[in-house]
Amino acid sequence: MKRLSVVAAVLAVCLALLPLASLRADAGSWTGWISDDSCGAKGAKAEHAKCTVKCLGNGAKLVFVTSADHKVFKLDKQDVAKANIGHEVVVKGEVKGDAIEVASIEAAAAPVK
């Protein structure tokens, strides 16, 4: 009976802390492309740079598209993203919902041939 009480107490604490874990942002780094929110994943390539600039001029926002699974994220630092249009990049920051709070955006390493 005492053992059951201990297990129940541990389970209750774990369940109480579960909502706190879901509030945590997912920090990391991802490789991908800067595109615009009009074209999204279709703009994840160097050849799309001119279209991205044109859409940006028409009021579109810049987004980040992951190379691995073509997931599209909003970006909070539009000025940093703008400097990297047309280049594969590594974005570091924290994912919060469908957006990344950007810590940095840098050119991705060139593939080894």
Side-chain angles (χ1 to χ4, degrees):
M1 186 66 169
K2 195 174 197 180
R3 185 180 216 176
L4 183 60
S5 297
V6 171
V7 170
V10 169
L11 183 59
V13 169
C14 289
L15 289 174
L17 294 176
L18 190 59
L20 295 177
S22 66
L23 294 177
R24 180 183 65 79
D26 293 324
S29 66
W30 304 269
T31 302
W33 295 86
I34 302 299
S35 181
D36 58 89
D37 60 1
S38 296
C39 293
K42 293 185 291 183
K45 53 190 167 195
E47 297 81 15
H48 192 264
K50 287 181 182 178
C51 184
T52 297
V53 171
K54 181 179 178 183
C55 289
L56 188 60
N58 290 331
K61 297 289 184 184
L62 296 175
V63 296
F64 174 71
V65 182
T66 61
S67 292
D69 58 5
H70 300 287
K71 187 167 182 176
V72 178
F73 291 95
K74 297 175 187 173
L75 297 170
D76 66 337
K77 293 188 178 174
Q78 294 286 297
D79 55 334
V80 177
K82 187 176 181 179
N84 292 283
I85 293 171
H87 304 285
E88 188 172 32
V89 296
V90 175
V91 173
K92 294 180 183 178
E94 292 187 26
V95 172
K96 293 191 176 179
D98 65 347
I100 297 177
E101 286 186 1
V102 176
S104 67
I105 300 177
E106 300 173 356
V112 178
K113 294 182 179 183

